[in-house]
Amino acid sequence: MILVTGGTGYIGSVTVELLRSRGERVVVLDNLSRGHRAAIPRDVPFYKGNIGDSELVARIANEREIEACVHFAAFAYVGESVAEPARYFENNVEQGVALLGALLKAGVRRVVFSSTCATYGEPEEIPIPETHSQKPTNPYGWSKLFMERILASYNHAYEMRYFALRYFNAAGATEQHGEHHEPETHLIPNVLLAAQGQLPSVPVFGNDYPTPDGTAIRDYIHVADLGTAHILALDYLRAGGSSECINLGNGQGYSVLEVIETARQVTGRPIEINIEPPRAGDPSHLVANAEKVRRLLGWQPAYPDLASMIRTDWEWRLKHPNGYGAN
């Protein structure tokens, strides 16, 4: 069975959906602090608790015969991490180490890890290759980099093989699952909330970055393409592949204003903006060199263009105007 931590969250729930669609047996561990119980079907074994609860992880491994772990569970807001670094290091690192310890004791030595492009910090070259120096500009990025280093040490000492996927910006939805955070801090969901009339305007954090239109540039990747990459990484480890850290993006950057204009075209609705000061710890450019994931895993995005990502998200929101709440 595959243990999916954070499986009720945005990317975790989509990955659970994709794993099950190909006949994998899945169990989910989540404390529901940021996820939604409604995002996981009732026939999926679910344990509510913290990943740092070693006794709980040991019980799950014993009851469910876990052979690998796909580890999503983490706090992932850059701004929040700057304001509350202790919360991020305690949750993402301290509890992450406890999870790895419990997995080791249970004999689980294959881990697919949700990492982030935030480990690179302000890029020195675009697109960013995996060989780029890692100098995070915020505690969130540091917490993920620490876990990458810990996994590398465990691989060396205990033969715990891992595949760390450094995400760029997740977007889009499947028919069953979409993005629903409270509060919502991500750009595309807020743009679509404004299109729905649930927000009066979209905050644009900074308009004097060294970019063509002054707004930050990001590489967006569809959430289903993210989920598929996790499954390919799992297959790679099962086949005896060595530990890896790999970028997961499309290699194409879009500015904040380009995202908003694309959403206006997709939705056919007006979207007001409000220029605000830049957020602490936000780099100006984050665009992936994604050649390695294509070469090593044979991964190809099914949704390579921004419009299709926004369109799938918009369609999900029209069907679920209150997200995972009552509709």
Short mmCIF file of all heavy atoms in Angstrom, two decimals, residues 225-291:
data_model
loop_
_atom_site.label_atom_id
_atom_site.label_comp_id
_atom_site.label_asym_id
_atom_site.label_seq_id
_atom_site.Cartn_x
_atom_site.Cartn_y
_atom_site.Cartn_z
N ASP A 225 -0.72 17.05 -13.95
CA ASP A 225 0.64 16.75 -14.43
C ASP A 225 1.59 16.55 -13.26
O ASP A 225 2.50 15.72 -13.31
CB ASP A 225 1.14 17.86 -15.34
CG ASP A 225 0.40 17.90 -16.67
OD1 ASP A 225 -0.03 16.82 -17.14
OD2 ASP A 225 0.25 18.99 -17.24
N LEU A 226 1.38 17.31 -12.18
CA LEU A 226 2.15 17.10 -10.95
C LEU A 226 1.90 15.70 -10.40
O LEU A 226 2.83 14.97 -10.06
CB LEU A 226 1.76 18.14 -9.89
CG LEU A 226 2.47 19.48 -9.89
CD1 LEU A 226 1.79 20.41 -8.89
CD2 LEU A 226 3.93 19.33 -9.52
N GLY A 227 0.63 15.34 -10.29
CA GLY A 227 0.28 14.03 -9.76
C GLY A 227 0.88 12.90 -10.58
O GLY A 227 1.40 11.92 -10.03
N THR A 228 0.82 13.04 -11.90
CA THR A 228 1.39 12.02 -12.78
C THR A 228 2.89 11.87 -12.54
O THR A 228 3.42 10.76 -12.53
CB THR A 228 1.13 12.40 -14.25
OG1 THR A 228 -0.29 12.40 -14.48
CG2 THR A 228 1.78 11.41 -15.19
N ALA A 229 3.57 12.99 -12.33
CA ALA A 229 5.02 12.93 -12.08
C ALA A 229 5.33 12.17 -10.79
O ALA A 229 6.33 11.45 -10.71
CB ALA A 229 5.59 14.34 -12.01
N HIS A 230 4.48 12.31 -9.78
CA HIS A 230 4.70 11.55 -8.54
C HIS A 230 4.58 10.05 -8.78
O HIS A 230 5.34 9.26 -8.21
CB HIS A 230 3.70 11.99 -7.47
CG HIS A 230 3.99 13.33 -6.88
ND1 HIS A 230 3.69 14.49 -7.52
CD2 HIS A 230 4.60 13.68 -5.71
CE1 HIS A 230 4.08 15.51 -6.78
NE2 HIS A 230 4.64 15.04 -5.68
N ILE A 231 3.63 9.66 -9.61
CA ILE A 231 3.45 8.24 -9.90
C ILE A 231 4.63 7.71 -10.70
O ILE A 231 5.13 6.61 -10.43
CB ILE A 231 2.12 8.03 -10.64
CG1 ILE A 231 0.94 8.39 -9.72
CG2 ILE A 231 1.99 6.60 -11.13
CD1 ILE A 231 -0.40 8.43 -10.40
N LEU A 232 5.11 8.48 -11.66
CA LEU A 232 6.29 8.07 -12.42
C LEU A 232 7.52 7.97 -11.52
O LEU A 232 8.35 7.07 -11.68
CB LEU A 232 6.55 9.07 -13.56
CG LEU A 232 5.51 9.09 -14.69
CD1 LEU A 232 5.78 10.24 -15.64
CD2 LEU A 232 5.51 7.75 -15.45
N ALA A 233 7.63 8.90 -10.56
CA ALA A 233 8.75 8.85 -9.61
C ALA A 233 8.66 7.61 -8.74
O ALA A 233 9.68 6.96 -8.44
CB ALA A 233 8.76 10.11 -8.76
N LEU A 234 7.46 7.25 -8.33
CA LEU A 234 7.26 6.04 -7.54
C LEU A 234 7.65 4.80 -8.34
O LEU A 234 8.35 3.91 -7.83
CB LEU A 234 5.80 5.96 -7.10
CG LEU A 234 5.38 4.74 -6.29
CD1 LEU A 234 6.14 4.69 -4.96
CD2 LEU A 234 3.87 4.78 -6.03
N ASP A 235 7.23 4.75 -9.59
CA ASP A 235 7.61 3.63 -10.46
C ASP A 235 9.13 3.55 -10.62
O ASP A 235 9.71 2.46 -10.64
CB ASP A 235 6.96 3.78 -11.83
CG ASP A 235 5.46 3.53 -11.81
OD1 ASP A 235 4.97 2.94 -10.82
OD2 ASP A 235 4.79 3.93 -12.78
N TYR A 236 9.76 4.70 -10.73
CA TYR A 236 11.21 4.77 -10.88
C TYR A 236 11.91 4.17 -9.66
O TYR A 236 12.84 3.37 -9.79
CB TYR A 236 11.61 6.23 -11.08
CG TYR A 236 13.09 6.51 -11.06
CD1 TYR A 236 13.86 6.46 -12.22
CD2 TYR A 236 13.72 6.87 -9.87
CE1 TYR A 236 15.21 6.75 -12.20
CE2 TYR A 236 15.08 7.16 -9.84
CZ TYR A 236 15.82 7.10 -11.00
OH TYR A 236 17.16 7.37 -10.97
N LEU A 237 11.44 4.52 -8.47
CA LEU A 237 12.04 3.96 -7.25
C LEU A 237 11.76 2.47 -7.14
O LEU A 237 12.63 1.69 -6.73
CB LEU A 237 11.50 4.70 -6.02
CG LEU A 237 11.92 6.16 -5.85
CD1 LEU A 237 11.24 6.77 -4.64
CD2 LEU A 237 13.44 6.29 -5.74
N ARG A 238 10.56 2.06 -7.50
CA ARG A 238 10.22 0.63 -7.45
C ARG A 238 11.12 -0.19 -8.38
O ARG A 238 11.42 -1.36 -8.10
CB ARG A 238 8.76 0.43 -7.85
CG ARG A 238 7.76 0.78 -6.76
CD ARG A 238 6.36 0.77 -7.35
NE ARG A 238 5.32 0.71 -6.34
CZ ARG A 238 4.03 0.90 -6.60
NH1 ARG A 238 3.64 1.19 -7.83
NH2 ARG A 238 3.13 0.83 -5.63
N ALA A 239 11.53 0.43 -9.47
CA ALA A 239 12.37 -0.26 -10.44
C ALA A 239 13.84 -0.25 -10.05
O ALA A 239 14.69 -0.74 -10.81
CB ALA A 239 12.20 0.36 -11.82
N GLY A 240 14.14 0.31 -8.87
CA GLY A 240 15.51 0.32 -8.39
C GLY A 240 16.30 1.57 -8.71
O GLY A 240 17.52 1.61 -8.51
N GLY A 241 15.61 2.61 -9.17
CA GLY A 241 16.29 3.85 -9.51
C GLY A 241 16.92 4.51 -8.29
O GLY A 241 16.44 4.36 -7.16
N SER A 242 18.00 5.24 -8.52
CA SER A 242 18.71 5.91 -7.44
C SER A 242 17.99 7.20 -7.05
O SER A 242 17.15 7.72 -7.79
CB SER A 242 20.15 6.24 -7.86
OG SER A 242 20.14 7.07 -9.01
N SER A 243 18.33 7.73 -5.88
CA SER A 243 17.69 8.94 -5.37
C SER A 243 17.97 10.13 -6.28
O SER A 243 19.06 10.26 -6.84
CB SER A 243 18.17 9.23 -3.95
OG SER A 243 17.77 8.20 -3.07
N GLU A 244 16.97 11.01 -6.41
CA GLU A 244 17.07 12.15 -7.31
C GLU A 244 16.34 13.37 -6.75
O GLU A 244 15.40 13.24 -5.98
CB GLU A 244 16.44 11.82 -8.68
CG GLU A 244 17.18 10.80 -9.50
CD GLU A 244 18.41 11.39 -10.19
OE1 GLU A 244 18.62 12.62 -10.11
OE2 GLU A 244 19.14 10.60 -10.82
N CYS A 245 16.79 14.56 -7.17
CA CYS A 245 16.07 15.82 -6.96
C CYS A 245 15.83 16.42 -8.34
O CYS A 245 16.79 16.62 -9.09
CB CYS A 245 16.87 16.78 -6.10
SG CYS A 245 17.14 16.24 -4.40
N ILE A 246 14.59 16.69 -8.65
CA ILE A 246 14.25 17.09 -10.02
C ILE A 246 13.23 18.23 -10.02
O ILE A 246 12.30 18.26 -9.20
CB ILE A 246 13.71 15.88 -10.81
CG1 ILE A 246 14.87 14.98 -11.22
CG2 ILE A 246 12.93 16.29 -12.04
CD1 ILE A 246 14.49 13.84 -12.13
N ASN A 247 13.41 19.17 -10.96
CA ASN A 247 12.44 20.24 -11.15
C ASN A 247 11.15 19.70 -11.76
O ASN A 247 11.18 18.76 -12.57
CB ASN A 247 12.99 21.30 -12.11
CG ASN A 247 14.10 22.12 -11.51
OD1 ASN A 247 14.24 22.22 -10.30
ND2 ASN A 247 14.91 22.72 -12.37
N LEU A 248 10.04 20.34 -11.40
CA LEU A 248 8.76 19.98 -11.98
C LEU A 248 8.04 21.27 -12.38
O LEU A 248 7.43 21.95 -11.56
CB LEU A 248 7.94 19.17 -10.98
CG LEU A 248 6.85 18.28 -11.56
CD1 LEU A 248 7.35 17.42 -12.70
CD2 LEU A 248 6.27 17.40 -10.47
N GLY A 249 8.19 21.61 -13.64
CA GLY A 249 7.55 22.80 -14.19
C GLY A 249 7.42 22.63 -15.69
O GLY A 249 7.79 21.59 -16.25
N ASN A 250 6.90 23.64 -16.36
CA ASN A 250 6.73 23.57 -17.81
C ASN A 250 7.86 24.26 -18.57
O ASN A 250 7.96 24.12 -19.78
CB ASN A 250 5.39 24.19 -18.22
CG ASN A 250 4.25 23.21 -18.08
OD1 ASN A 250 4.33 22.11 -18.59
ND2 ASN A 250 3.19 23.59 -17.38
N GLY A 251 8.67 25.05 -17.87
CA GLY A 251 9.74 25.77 -18.54
C GLY A 251 9.28 27.05 -19.22
O GLY A 251 10.00 27.63 -20.02
N GLN A 252 8.06 27.49 -18.89
CA GLN A 252 7.49 28.70 -19.48
C GLN A 252 7.03 29.62 -18.36
O GLN A 252 6.28 29.19 -17.47
CB GLN A 252 6.30 28.35 -20.37
CG GLN A 252 5.52 29.54 -20.89
CD GLN A 252 6.31 30.38 -21.88
OE1 GLN A 252 6.94 29.84 -22.78
NE2 GLN A 252 6.30 31.68 -21.70
N GLY A 253 7.46 30.87 -18.38
CA GLY A 253 7.09 31.80 -17.33
C GLY A 253 5.99 32.76 -17.74
O GLY A 253 5.92 33.18 -18.90
N TYR A 254 5.11 33.08 -16.79
CA TYR A 254 4.05 34.05 -17.02
C TYR A 254 4.05 35.06 -15.88
O TYR A 254 4.17 34.68 -14.71
CB TYR A 254 2.67 33.37 -17.09
CG TYR A 254 2.53 32.38 -18.20
CD1 TYR A 254 2.80 31.02 -17.99
CD2 TYR A 254 2.11 32.79 -19.47
CE1 TYR A 254 2.66 30.10 -19.01
CE2 TYR A 254 1.97 31.86 -20.50
CZ TYR A 254 2.25 30.52 -20.26
OH TYR A 254 2.12 29.61 -21.28
N SER A 255 3.87 36.33 -16.21
CA SER A 255 3.81 37.35 -15.16
C SER A 255 2.43 37.36 -14.52
O SER A 255 1.46 36.81 -15.06
CB SER A 255 4.12 38.73 -15.75
OG SER A 255 3.03 39.20 -16.52
N VAL A 256 2.36 38.03 -13.37
CA VAL A 256 1.07 38.14 -12.68
C VAL A 256 0.03 38.79 -13.59
O VAL A 256 -1.12 38.32 -13.68
CB VAL A 256 1.24 38.96 -11.37
CG1 VAL A 256 -0.12 39.25 -10.74
CG2 VAL A 256 2.14 38.22 -10.39
N LEU A 257 0.41 39.85 -14.27
CA LEU A 257 -0.56 40.53 -15.15
C LEU A 257 -0.95 39.65 -16.33
O LEU A 257 -2.11 39.70 -16.78
CB LEU A 257 0.02 41.86 -15.64
CG LEU A 257 0.23 42.92 -14.56
CD1 LEU A 257 0.74 44.22 -15.17
CD2 LEU A 257 -1.06 43.19 -13.78
N GLU A 258 -0.05 38.83 -16.84
CA GLU A 258 -0.39 37.90 -17.93
C GLU A 258 -1.40 36.86 -17.44
O GLU A 258 -2.32 36.48 -18.18
CB GLU A 258 0.87 37.22 -18.45
CG GLU A 258 1.75 38.11 -19.29
CD GLU A 258 3.03 37.43 -19.73
OE1 GLU A 258 3.67 36.75 -18.91
OE2 GLU A 258 3.40 37.59 -20.90
N VAL A 259 -1.23 36.38 -16.22
CA VAL A 259 -2.17 35.41 -15.66
C VAL A 259 -3.56 36.04 -15.55
O VAL A 259 -4.58 35.42 -15.92
CB VAL A 259 -1.69 34.93 -14.27
CG1 VAL A 259 -2.79 34.14 -13.56
CG2 VAL A 259 -0.43 34.09 -14.41
N ILE A 260 -3.61 37.26 -15.07
CA ILE A 260 -4.91 37.93 -14.89
C ILE A 260 -5.59 38.16 -16.24
O ILE A 260 -6.80 37.92 -16.39
CB ILE A 260 -4.71 39.25 -14.12
CG1 ILE A 260 -4.27 38.94 -12.69
CG2 ILE A 260 -6.00 40.09 -14.12
CD1 ILE A 260 -3.77 40.14 -11.91
N GLU A 261 -4.84 38.58 -17.24
CA GLU A 261 -5.42 38.81 -18.56
C GLU A 261 -5.90 37.50 -19.18
O GLU A 261 -6.97 37.45 -19.80
CB GLU A 261 -4.40 39.49 -19.47
CG GLU A 261 -4.93 39.80 -20.87
CD GLU A 261 -6.21 40.65 -20.84
OE1 GLU A 261 -6.34 41.51 -19.93
OE2 GLU A 261 -7.08 40.43 -21.71
N THR A 262 -5.14 36.42 -19.00
CA THR A 262 -5.58 35.11 -19.51
C THR A 262 -6.87 34.68 -18.82
O THR A 262 -7.79 34.15 -19.49
CB THR A 262 -4.48 34.05 -19.28
OG1 THR A 262 -3.29 34.45 -19.93
CG2 THR A 262 -4.91 32.69 -19.83
N ALA A 263 -6.99 34.92 -17.52
CA ALA A 263 -8.22 34.57 -16.80
C ALA A 263 -9.40 35.39 -17.28
O ALA A 263 -10.53 34.88 -17.37
CB ALA A 263 -8.01 34.77 -15.31
N ARG A 264 -9.18 36.64 -17.62
CA ARG A 264 -10.27 37.46 -18.18
C ARG A 264 -10.77 36.86 -19.48
O ARG A 264 -11.97 36.79 -19.74
CB ARG A 264 -9.77 38.89 -18.41
CG ARG A 264 -9.55 39.71 -17.14
CD ARG A 264 -8.99 41.08 -17.49
NE ARG A 264 -8.80 41.91 -16.30
CZ ARG A 264 -7.72 42.68 -16.09
NH1 ARG A 264 -6.74 42.71 -17.00
NH2 ARG A 264 -7.62 43.40 -14.99
N GLN A 265 -9.83 36.39 -20.31
CA GLN A 265 -10.21 35.80 -21.59
C GLN A 265 -10.94 34.47 -21.40
O GLN A 265 -11.93 34.19 -22.10
CB GLN A 265 -8.97 35.61 -22.45
CG GLN A 265 -8.29 36.91 -22.85
CD GLN A 265 -6.95 36.70 -23.52
OE1 GLN A 265 -6.59 35.58 -23.88
NE2 GLN A 265 -6.17 37.77 -23.69
N VAL A 266 -10.45 33.64 -20.47
CA VAL A 266 -11.07 32.32 -20.24
C VAL A 266 -12.46 32.46 -19.66
O VAL A 266 -13.41 31.77 -20.09
CB VAL A 266 -10.18 31.47 -19.32
CG1 VAL A 266 -10.93 30.22 -18.83
CG2 VAL A 266 -8.89 31.06 -20.04
N THR A 267 -12.63 33.35 -18.69
CA THR A 267 -13.91 33.47 -17.97
C THR A 267 -14.88 34.42 -18.66
O THR A 267 -16.09 34.32 -18.44
CB THR A 267 -13.68 33.96 -16.54
OG1 THR A 267 -13.14 35.29 -16.57
CG2 THR A 267 -12.72 33.04 -15.79
N GLY A 268 -14.36 35.34 -19.46
CA GLY A 268 -15.21 36.35 -20.07
C GLY A 268 -15.76 37.34 -19.06
O GLY A 268 -16.77 38.00 -19.33
N ARG A 269 -15.09 37.46 -17.94
CA ARG A 269 -15.56 38.35 -16.87
C ARG A 269 -14.50 39.39 -16.52
O ARG A 269 -13.30 39.13 -16.65
CB ARG A 269 -15.93 37.53 -15.64
CG ARG A 269 -17.04 36.53 -15.90
CD ARG A 269 -17.56 35.91 -14.64
NE ARG A 269 -18.57 34.89 -14.91
CZ ARG A 269 -19.25 34.25 -13.98
NH1 ARG A 269 -19.02 34.51 -12.69
NH2 ARG A 269 -20.15 33.34 -14.30
N PRO A 270 -14.95 40.57 -16.05
CA PRO A 270 -13.98 41.59 -15.63
C PRO A 270 -13.30 41.18 -14.32
O PRO A 270 -13.93 40.56 -13.45
CB PRO A 270 -14.85 42.84 -15.43
CG PRO A 270 -16.21 42.29 -15.10
CD PRO A 270 -16.34 41.02 -15.90
N ILE A 271 -12.04 41.49 -14.18
CA ILE A 271 -11.29 41.17 -12.96
C ILE A 271 -10.50 42.41 -12.58
O ILE A 271 -9.58 42.83 -13.31
CB ILE A 271 -10.35 39.97 -13.17
CG1 ILE A 271 -11.16 38.72 -13.55
CG2 ILE A 271 -9.52 39.72 -11.92
CD1 ILE A 271 -10.31 37.55 -14.02
N GLU A 272 -10.87 43.01 -11.47
CA GLU A 272 -10.18 44.21 -10.99
C GLU A 272 -8.91 43.82 -10.24
O GLU A 272 -8.83 42.73 -9.65
CB GLU A 272 -11.09 45.02 -10.06
CG GLU A 272 -12.38 45.49 -10.71
CD GLU A 272 -12.13 46.45 -11.87
OE1 GLU A 272 -11.19 47.26 -11.75
OE2 GLU A 272 -12.85 46.37 -12.88
N ILE A 273 -7.90 44.70 -10.28
CA ILE A 273 -6.66 44.44 -9.55
C ILE A 273 -6.38 45.57 -8.57
O ILE A 273 -6.91 46.68 -8.71
CB ILE A 273 -5.46 44.26 -10.51
CG1 ILE A 273 -5.13 45.58 -11.23
CG2 ILE A 273 -5.73 43.15 -11.50
CD1 ILE A 273 -3.83 45.51 -12.02
N ASN A 274 -5.57 45.27 -7.59
CA ASN A 274 -5.15 46.25 -6.59
C ASN A 274 -3.66 46.07 -6.34
O ASN A 274 -3.23 45.02 -5.87
CB ASN A 274 -5.94 46.05 -5.28
CG ASN A 274 -5.60 47.10 -4.24
OD1 ASN A 274 -5.46 48.27 -4.57
ND2 ASN A 274 -5.46 46.68 -2.99
N ILE A 275 -2.85 47.06 -6.69
CA ILE A 275 -1.41 46.98 -6.52
C ILE A 275 -1.05 47.16 -5.05
O ILE A 275 -1.45 48.14 -4.41
CB ILE A 275 -0.68 48.03 -7.37
CG1 ILE A 275 -1.06 47.89 -8.85
CG2 ILE A 275 0.83 47.91 -7.18
CD1 ILE A 275 -0.66 46.58 -9.48
N GLU A 276 -0.30 46.19 -4.51
CA GLU A 276 0.13 46.24 -3.12
C GLU A 276 1.64 46.06 -3.05
O GLU A 276 2.27 45.67 -4.04
CB GLU A 276 -0.57 45.13 -2.31
CG GLU A 276 -2.09 45.29 -2.29
CD GLU A 276 -2.76 44.33 -1.32
OE1 GLU A 276 -2.03 43.67 -0.55
OE2 GLU A 276 -3.99 44.24 -1.35
N PRO A 277 2.26 46.35 -1.90
CA PRO A 277 3.71 46.19 -1.78
C PRO A 277 4.11 44.73 -2.00
O PRO A 277 3.33 43.81 -1.71
CB PRO A 277 4.01 46.63 -0.35
CG PRO A 277 2.87 47.51 0.03
CD PRO A 277 1.68 46.95 -0.68
N PRO A 278 5.31 44.47 -2.50
CA PRO A 278 5.76 43.08 -2.68
C PRO A 278 5.85 42.36 -1.36
O PRO A 278 6.09 42.98 -0.31
CB PRO A 278 7.13 43.23 -3.35
CG PRO A 278 7.58 44.62 -3.02
CD PRO A 278 6.34 45.44 -2.93
N ARG A 279 5.65 41.05 -1.38
CA ARG A 279 5.75 40.23 -0.17
C ARG A 279 7.20 39.90 0.13
O ARG A 279 7.98 39.64 -0.79
CB ARG A 279 4.94 38.94 -0.33
CG ARG A 279 3.45 39.15 -0.45
CD ARG A 279 2.70 37.85 -0.63
NE ARG A 279 3.06 37.19 -1.89
CZ ARG A 279 2.37 36.18 -2.41
NH1 ARG A 279 1.32 35.71 -1.79
NH2 ARG A 279 2.76 35.63 -3.55
N ALA A 280 7.52 39.88 1.39
CA ALA A 280 8.88 39.52 1.80
C ALA A 280 9.20 38.10 1.35
O ALA A 280 8.38 37.19 1.51
CB ALA A 280 9.02 39.63 3.31
N GLY A 281 10.38 37.90 0.79
CA GLY A 281 10.83 36.56 0.42
C GLY A 281 10.40 36.10 -0.95
O GLY A 281 10.68 34.97 -1.33
N ASP A 282 9.72 36.96 -1.74
CA ASP A 282 9.25 36.56 -3.07
C ASP A 282 10.29 36.90 -4.14
O ASP A 282 10.54 38.08 -4.39
CB ASP A 282 7.94 37.29 -3.41
CG ASP A 282 6.71 36.45 -3.13
OD1 ASP A 282 6.88 35.29 -2.71
OD2 ASP A 282 5.60 36.96 -3.31
N PRO A 283 10.90 35.91 -4.80
CA PRO A 283 11.82 36.20 -5.91
C PRO A 283 11.06 36.78 -7.10
O PRO A 283 9.85 36.61 -7.25
CB PRO A 283 12.41 34.83 -6.26
CG PRO A 283 12.14 33.97 -5.07
CD PRO A 283 10.85 34.48 -4.49
N SER A 284 11.79 37.46 -7.99
CA SER A 284 11.15 38.09 -9.15
C SER A 284 10.85 37.09 -10.27
O SER A 284 9.83 37.20 -10.95
CB SER A 284 12.05 39.20 -9.70
OG SER A 284 13.33 38.68 -10.05
N HIS A 285 11.73 36.10 -10.49
CA HIS A 285 11.56 35.09 -11.54
C HIS A 285 11.70 33.69 -10.94
O HIS A 285 12.63 33.44 -10.18
CB HIS A 285 12.66 35.19 -12.61
CG HIS A 285 12.63 36.41 -13.45
ND1 HIS A 285 13.04 37.64 -13.00
CD2 HIS A 285 12.27 36.59 -14.75
CE1 HIS A 285 12.94 38.52 -13.97
NE2 HIS A 285 12.47 37.92 -15.04
N LEU A 286 10.80 32.80 -11.32
CA LEU A 286 10.97 31.39 -11.00
C LEU A 286 10.45 30.59 -12.19
O LEU A 286 9.23 30.42 -12.36
CB LEU A 286 10.23 30.99 -9.71
CG LEU A 286 10.84 31.45 -8.39
CD1 LEU A 286 9.92 31.09 -7.22
CD2 LEU A 286 12.21 30.82 -8.17
N VAL A 287 11.36 30.12 -13.03
CA VAL A 287 11.01 29.34 -14.21
C VAL A 287 11.93 28.13 -14.27
O VAL A 287 13.14 28.25 -14.09
CB VAL A 287 11.14 30.17 -15.51
CG1 VAL A 287 10.80 29.31 -16.73
CG2 VAL A 287 10.24 31.40 -15.45
N ALA A 288 11.35 26.97 -14.51
CA ALA A 288 12.10 25.70 -14.44
C ALA A 288 12.80 25.36 -15.74
O ALA A 288 12.27 25.59 -16.83
CB ALA A 288 11.15 24.57 -14.09
N ASN A 289 13.96 24.77 -15.60
CA ASN A 289 14.51 23.93 -16.66
C ASN A 289 13.98 22.53 -16.37
O ASN A 289 14.38 21.91 -15.38
CB ASN A 289 16.04 23.96 -16.64
CG ASN A 289 16.65 23.10 -17.74
OD1 ASN A 289 16.12 22.06 -18.10
ND2 ASN A 289 17.79 23.53 -18.27
N ALA A 290 13.06 22.05 -17.18
CA ALA A 290 12.36 20.80 -16.90
C ALA A 290 12.83 19.65 -17.80
O ALA A 290 12.11 18.66 -17.96
CB ALA A 290 10.86 21.00 -17.04
N GLU A 291 14.02 19.77 -18.35
CA GLU A 291 14.51 18.73 -19.26
C GLU A 291 14.77 17.41 -18.53
O GLU A 291 14.53 16.33 -19.08
CB GLU A 291 15.78 19.21 -19.96
CG GLU A 291 15.55 20.35 -20.94
CD GLU A 291 14.50 20.00 -21.98
OE1 GLU A 291 14.60 18.90 -22.56
OE2 GLU A 291 13.58 20.82 -22.19
#
